[in-house]
Amino acid sequence: MSTQPQLQPQMAPVQHPYDMTTPGEPAGYRIPAQYRRPLGEFPRDKRRAGWFYAFASVTSLILTIFMPLTGLSGIFGLTAIPSVAAVVLGIVALVKLGRYPQTIYAGKTKVCAWVGIIGGVLGTLIALSLTVLFITIDF
């Protein structure tokens, strides 16, 4: 065995091991140093309040599109349920987005919310017209 001491590589101290900042983010969103977690400064969601409602709105719209393919729409107009949910969730997303300061995800949230609202309205109209059509047709 060797009696020579092992050499440790000299490394400069790292103040911020991870860069968790978002380009264009206002300084008011940055967490002060005394409140940061040890491995960075990303303890919150930067998408803000309306994002999840907008995403759920688009998801309801996708469910609306695929329900007739599975045969679940039928006479009862079950396709109108996720269509109405898409409209309601889109409106809630826009309301929540308007209450809080804007972030870089605000544009994506607005687009998802409006896609859910417009698609939900069209899906509701189509579901109700198909329901009326199926009720009036004699088999």
Side-chain angles (χ1 to χ4, degrees), residues 8 13 15-16 21 23 26 30-31 39 48 50-51 59 63 65 67-68 71-72 79 94 101 104 111 113 121 129 135:
Q8 296 292 330
Q15 290 187 344
H16 298 289
T21 60
R30 295 188 58 91
I31 298 174
L39 296 177
R48 300 300 282 177
W51 169 252
T59 305
L63 182 64
I65 293 170
M67 275 184 79
L72 292 175
T79 309
L94 289 177
I104 61 170
V111 168
V121 167
S129 62
I135 290 174

Side-chain angles (χ1 to χ4, degrees), residues 22-41:
T22 303
E25 181 180 43
Y29 284 29
R30 295 188 58 91
I31 298 174
Q34 66 266 26
Y35 298 115
R36 288 188 194 140
R37 297 187 311 172
L39 296 177
E41 51 177 278

Side-chain angles (χ1 to χ4, degrees), residues 18-102:
Y18 301 107
D19 183 19
M20 296 292 188
T21 60
T22 303
E25 181 180 43
Y29 284 29
R30 295 188 58 91
I31 298 174
Q34 66 266 26
Y35 298 115
R36 288 188 194 140
R37 297 187 311 172
L39 296 177
E41 51 177 278
F42 195 64
R44 79 238 184 302
D45 189 7
K46 294 186 180 200
R47 292 174 286 202
R48 300 300 282 177
W51 169 252
F52 295 105
Y53 290 103
F55 184 76
S57 175
V58 172
T59 305
S60 295
L61 178 63
I62 291 171
L63 182 64
T64 299
I65 293 170
F66 286 112
M67 275 184 79
L69 298 177
T70 61
L72 292 175
S73 57
I75 290 177
F76 304 109
L78 292 177
T79 309
I81 295 171
S83 298
V84 171
V87 172
V88 170
L89 288 170
I91 291 171
V92 169
L94 289 177
V95 167
K96 286 197 172 277
L97 184 66
R99 289 185 185 165
Y100 295 99
Q102 299 294 311

